[in-house]
């Protein structure tokens, strides 16, 4: 089997190199401006009238390379300090433009919006994504996994305004050159524009107009030419923050008022290298985690939300085929968070950037001493370093290493190597990716097998998406700064998606899915298997979706575990059959959502999992979100009922001023949590957060008891030099 896999890999490598030709990339020349351009969404300055115009767009859906239903005009203006993009979106029925959101970084993919990707290194493997809807809600992301996905948690300083008129809508974007890294020797960048006309379920692009290719694949983007020698000034950013907090613990606890300051400062060491320092780091503005239920014997995964760790996080991505299902060698939530405690970060430093075809990043953090569940832990130092070299046209080879342990255990380190081969020109114009990785870790409490390795082969295209992923995780592979849900296993996953587009009046695309997962203990028998199938998964022309799934699964329990309060699954081999029915209503409507029902056998009993998500946007000023989950288990070892509900209210005054409140309650913890935030961006360089947190516990007598209450006010401003 492995011999055949290596043959396929090297055949793909050889054939794609032979087929890769120097392709003509469409280009747009940037115009120049000398006086300040007012960002108001009007494009009424004289410079806009004289700038070169881009209007050659084609559809990717519903028809590949079809004629758009409405015109789109794009102009770009530059000076030595900024890039300004103006996009005119003509629409014969502007009253039907789908626009609900105003919140920063909200999901605007199902609304009318424009999206821009730039590649200021021309390496075809990295880039920045900026998107704006017709309400001026801003979304930004880093190109991730060489364009196959986006890291939407990344944030930058930039401006956007929009206007709506009788001809459609207009977006105006200003990106300061200090907000990104770039190759100063270049006078042209990779550049592409995409527009979504939601009510028509229509997507149009300028370059890379192929369904098989992802918008973020900058190797297929056009070119933005006539760029100046950019000047980022001294390159210093100094962002102090002032935080005032009132904390109360327990009903009888006293309210304690604290004032604290923190500082983030950065200095460019060239146009494409940034050094960052953080002191007394504070994450008061970070949103609370959304609670999850766990019906497995493995830990839950929660994503990183803290800005300091997200900056340059694309560089720290490691190993094609790794992830929260197998292993994340560096999981930044291990730093500053321990169990139920937030660990004070005294200071830290980071350096990341690109030199030529080499991307690199280094991070070091010193945390203070802390207590968790009555145990005291000493202050400790932790860090990670990553180097990645671009090879061939779209491929990489790299290494990663980390040191330190959150609880202070001695001798902790981890190192690894990875290689990823990628081409967007396999067999002419298809995607093909193959990669391998290997890791080794050590610590004073580890012995025997401390290694992990794996590979993945992927053919991710519009009609066919085929993949094979394998990982071997040693029994004592436990990186202190990583995330490893299962140890001592062989993991195999085979995936297949066949997605035809029938010429039916109601159905746009069908997705026939098959995913086989098989996990075996090292030197032992099988531990888990799952066969996920989707005989029906139809995307309708209206944007609605219906899906039915059949999933045979099995678990070989070697050690009893508690699946719910006082319900323990004993040792044994269990085989069960799960079914799912799901319906999704298109988000283009003011009322949309998704309903899911998993049912069938489960550990010699039955389990029903009911999940409901609703979104109601009565106006662009006000939005409501509801999510509810209900697990009903009837097992020979005991019955359980779990309920988790959450409600979010968004009051969007403008795209720079929002009030959001989130209330969640679950019957496992019996804690009612309230989180309310006012976020005011009073300047592109400064903002204010007012945060209220309130948690109460419902005991067995149905008495509500205050656990903790907190009011936070945080003000920060970025001084750029």
């Amino acid at each position: 089997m492995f011999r055949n896999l290596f043959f396929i890999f090297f055949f793909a490598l050889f054939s794609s190199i032979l087929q890769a030709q120097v392709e003509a990339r469409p280009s747009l020349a940037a115009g120049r401006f000398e006086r300040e351009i007012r960002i108001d969404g009007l494009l009424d300055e004289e410079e806009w009238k004289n700038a070169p115009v881009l209007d050659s767009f084609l559809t990717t859906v519903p028809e590949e390379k079809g004629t758009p239903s409405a015109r789109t005009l794009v102009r770009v203006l530059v000076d030595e300090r900024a890039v300004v993009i103006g996009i005119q979106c003509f629409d014969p029925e502007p009253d039907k433009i789908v626009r609900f959101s105003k919140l920063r970084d909200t999901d605007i993919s199902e609304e009318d919006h424009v999206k821009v990707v730039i590649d200021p290194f021309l390496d075809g493997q990295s880039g920045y994504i900026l998107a704006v809807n017709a309400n001026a809600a801003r979304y930004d992301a880093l190109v991730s996994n060489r364009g196959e996905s986006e890291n939407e948690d990344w944030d930058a300083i930039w401006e956007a305004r929009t206007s709506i008129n009788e001809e459609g809508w207009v977006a105006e974007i200003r990106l300061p050159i200090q907000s990104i890294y770039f190759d100063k020797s270049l006078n042209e960048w990779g550049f592409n524009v995409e527009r979504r006309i939601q009510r028509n379920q229509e997507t149009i692009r300028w370059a890379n107009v192929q369904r098989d290719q992802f918008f973020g694949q900058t190797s297929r983007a056009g070119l933005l030419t006539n760029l100046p020698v950019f000047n980022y000034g001294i390159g210093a950013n100094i962002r102090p923050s002032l935080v005032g907090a009132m904390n109360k613990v327990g009903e009888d606890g006293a309210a304690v008022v604290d004032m604290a300051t923190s500082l983030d400062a950065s200095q460019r060491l060239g146009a494409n290298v940034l050094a960052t320092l953080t002191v007394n780091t504070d994450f008061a503005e970070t949103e609370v985690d959304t609670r999850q239920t766990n019906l497995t014997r493995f830990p839950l995964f929660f994503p990183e939300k803290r800005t300091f760790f997200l900056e340059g996080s694309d560089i720290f991505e490691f190993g094609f085929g790794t992830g929260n299902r197998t292993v994340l060698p560096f999981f930044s939530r291990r730093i500053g968070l321990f169990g139920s405690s937030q660990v004070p970060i005294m200071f830290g430093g980071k350096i990341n950037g690109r030199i030529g075809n080499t991307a690199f990043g280094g991070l070091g953090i010193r945390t203070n001493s802390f207590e968790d569940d009555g145990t005291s832990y000493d202050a400790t130092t932790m860090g990670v370093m990553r180097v990645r070299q671009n090879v061939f046209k779209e491929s990489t080879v790299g290494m990663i290493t980390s040191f330190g342990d959150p609880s202070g255990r001695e001798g902790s380190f981890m190192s690894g190597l990875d290689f990823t081969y990628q081409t967007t020109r396999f067999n002419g114009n298809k995607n093909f990716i193959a990669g391998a990785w290997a890791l080794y870790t050590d610590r004073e409490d580890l012995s025997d097998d401390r290694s992990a390795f794996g590979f993945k082969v992927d053919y991710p295209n519009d009609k066919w998406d085929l993949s094979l992923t394998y990982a071997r995780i040693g029994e004592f592979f436990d990186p202190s700064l990583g995330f490893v849900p299962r140890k001592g296993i062989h993991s195999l996953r085979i995936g297949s998606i066949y997605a035809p587009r029938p010429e039916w009046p109601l159905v746009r695309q069908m997705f026939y899915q098959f995913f086989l997962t098989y996990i075996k203990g090292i030197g032992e028998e099988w531990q888990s298997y799952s066969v996920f199938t989707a005989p029906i998964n139809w995307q309708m022309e209206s944007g609605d979706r219906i899906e039915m799934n059949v999933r045979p699964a099995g678990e070989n329990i070697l050690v009893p575990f508690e699946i719910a309060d006082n319900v323990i699954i004993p040792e044994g081999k269990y085989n069960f059959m799960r079914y799912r029915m799901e319906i999704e209503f298109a988000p283009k409507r003011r009322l949309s959502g998704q309903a899911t029902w998993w049912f069938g056998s489960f550990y010699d009993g039955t389990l029903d999992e009911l999940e409901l998500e609703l979104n109601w946007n009565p106006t662009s000023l006000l939005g409501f979100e509801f999510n509810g989950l209900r697990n009903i288990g009837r097992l020979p070892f005991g019955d359980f009922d779990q309920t988790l509900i959450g409600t979010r209210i968004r009051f969007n005054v403008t795209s720079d001023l929002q009030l959001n409140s989130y209330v969640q309650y679950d019957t496992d913890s019996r804690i009612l949590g309230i989180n309310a935030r006012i976020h005011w961006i009073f300047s592109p360089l400064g903002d204010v957060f007012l945060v209220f947190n309130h948690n109460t516990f419902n005991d067995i007598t149905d008495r509500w008891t205050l656990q903790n209450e907190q009011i936070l006010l945080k003000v920060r401003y970025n001084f750029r030099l």
Side-chain angles (χ1 to χ4, degrees), residues 91-99 112 197-200 588:
D91 194 315
E93 299 177 285
D95 58 312
K96 295 183 179 180
I97 294 172
V98 180
R99 53 188 182 103
D112 281 62
I197 305 175
Q198 184 61 27
R199 69 179 181 278
N200 298 337
K588 68 181 181 181

Side-chain angles (χ1 to χ4, degrees), residues 241-247 256-262 280 713:
S241 299
L242 176 64
V243 181
M246 187 282 290
N247 293 280
V256 179
V257 178
D258 292 314
M259 297 292 292
T261 59
S262 63
N280 195 26
L713 176 65

Side-chain angles (χ1 to χ4, degrees), residues 533-575:
T533 63
I536 296 178
N537 185 355
W538 294 354
Q539 184 79 36
M540 315 304 287
E541 285 289 347
S542 62
D544 303 314
R545 183 179 62 86
I546 57 173
E547 182 172 357
M548 295 180 62
N549 304 117
V550 179
R551 179 178 169 258
E555 295 289 341
N556 184 3
I557 305 302
L558 304 177
V559 178
F561 77 101
E562 189 175 39
I563 194 171
D565 285 343
N566 301 317
V567 180
I568 297 176
I569 306 296
E571 296 180 25
K573 296 179 180 179
Y574 302 88
N575 300 283

